Amino acid sequence: MTVLVPTMGALHKGHQALIKRARTLDKDVIVSIFVNPLQFENKADLEKYPRSPERDIEIATIAGATEVWFPEYEDLYPEGFKTLSSGALGNLYEGSSRPGHFDGVVTVIDRLCAIAKPDKAVFGEKDFQQLTIVKAMKSKIEIVAVPTVREFDGLAMSSRNLRLSETGRSVALVIHRALAAAKLAPTVEIAQEILNTTLSMEPGFDKDYATIIDEKDFSLADEGTENRRAIIAGWVEGVRLIDNMPMVGR
Ligand code: PAF
């Protein structure tokens, strides 16, 4: 039995949590490291994506990977390959700001799984829309979710954090501040207001969206929504950051 942990490298504690979780599921854990060009709508973002293969091998192995796999572009995408569609959810939020992003994600996951043939695959809740879309892929592979790993001050672990200056990093904390404050709000309306107000107080944060959604289909949450989640995306120093948190329902 094999578990796949798909990654794009620049591994950090968040990835380590995924690998450790994978290790509890089965004894063979493959960590794939592939910066997937298909999911980058922005070429500069692709070029700037941090790469640290040697360190990645070390981190993955210490966390419990039994194989670290660096597929080549040609292995995954032979001539004439077809890009898959991520469906309606793939066009909302992250998909709306990053056209084609989720089609690239589902395509690479499909190819990685076709080659590695895992029984299970592990994904982080940090990319909650990605997790939801991957769960909806028609596949026999069991998808296991792992909660977001945060720094001591709440910043969600992300390879992109490496691109922030010290000032940028402290600006980015507004995301967690907004989520944590909204979580305690008694109604969806108040939670939404808290998100808007908190984020607007940080001039260095350039908001893309901040919304309370129904986890099921990412429609707007209302008082009747059982599983609500706040999702936030924006830019700090030109670096796109995303985060999310379940909201307390009634
Ligand atoms: O979350 C990521 O790092 C990527 O989207 C993934 C799942 C490895 C696919 O390239």
Side-chain angles (χ1 to χ4, degrees):
M1 301 287 253
T2 301
V3 192
L4 176 67
V5 184
T7 81
M8 298 205 295
L11 301 185
H12 50 66
K13 289 202 187 101
H15 295 109
Q16 279 185 308
L18 302 182
I19 300 166
K20 283 182 185 155
R21 180 75 179 98
R23 207 42 210 259
T24 67
L25 299 170
D26 268 310
K27 68 176 196 329
D28 293 322
V29 175
I30 303 178
V31 174
S32 63
I33 297 182
F34 179 67
V35 183
N36 176 28
L38 252 55
Q39 69 187 76
F40 285 85
E41 74 298 345
N42 177 334
K43 225 170 167 272
D45 199 25
L46 171 63
E47 274 153 21
K48 282 188 201 145
Y49 204 84
R51 288 165 170 84
S52 51
E54 267 114 55
R55 208 169 152 263
D56 287 347
I57 295 174
E58 211 177 298
I59 292 176
T61 312
I62 291 170
T66 47
E67 186 185 333
V68 185
W69 174 34
F70 291 87
E72 296 289 337
Y73 182 91
E74 295 73 25
D75 300 340
L76 293 178
Y77 302 131
E79 217 170 303
F81 80 95
K82 283 210 183 74
T83 303
L84 302 181
S85 164
S86 52
L89 182 50
N91 294 322
L92 303 178
Y93 297 103
E94 280 308 283
S96 160
S97 298
R98 307 182 61 188
H101 169 69
F102 287 120
D103 291 349
V105 170
V106 294
T107 305
V108 79
I109 297 301
D110 179 71
R111 296 296 302 139
L112 290 166
C113 289
I115 298 171
K117 298 189 177 31
D119 306 287
K120 296 173 185 152
V122 181
F123 291 83
E125 278 186 7
K126 157 94 177 10
D127 297 295
F128 194 76
Q129 194 176 354
Q130 167 173 282
L131 172 66
T132 309
I133 288 170
V134 169
K135 275 185 179 166
M137 283 172 77
K138 286 189 190 70
S139 148
K140 289 196 191 80
I141 297 158
E142 185 189 332
I143 304 300
V144 178
V146 174
T148 303
V149 179
R150 299 182 180 282
E151 307 269 9
F152 71 96
D153 51 11
L155 184 67
M157 298 261 177
S158 164
S159 310
R160 291 169 189 262
N161 296 347
L162 291 172
R163 287 169 50 198
L164 297 173
S165 72
E166 212 175 304
T167 313
R169 196 193 171 287
S170 65
V171 167
L173 290 177
V174 75
I175 302 173
H176 179 254
R177 231 172 21 249
L179 291 170
K183 188 183 179 81
L184 306 172
T187 67
V188 172
E189 198 183 332
I190 296 174
Q192 183 64 57
E193 252 173 57
I194 292 175
L195 289 185
N196 297 345
T197 315
T198 313
L199 295 173
S200 69
M201 279 175 347
E202 179 49 84
F205 182 72
D206 180 12
K207 183 176 85 176
D208 183 6
Y209 57 77
T211 316
I212 322 279
I213 51 106
D214 184 334
E215 286 188 0
K216 229 181 24 267
D217 54 7
F218 281 61
S219 59
L220 289 180
D222 59 30
E223 289 315 307
T225 308
E226 211 176 313
N227 296 312
R228 319 166 184 170
R229 190 170 282 260
I231 54 171
I232 295 182
W235 294 268
V236 176
E237 297 178 332
V239 180
R240 186 174 177 82
L241 299 174
I242 61 171
D243 200 351
N244 66 85
M245 195 177 277
M247 297 286 106
V248 180
R250 270 190 290 176

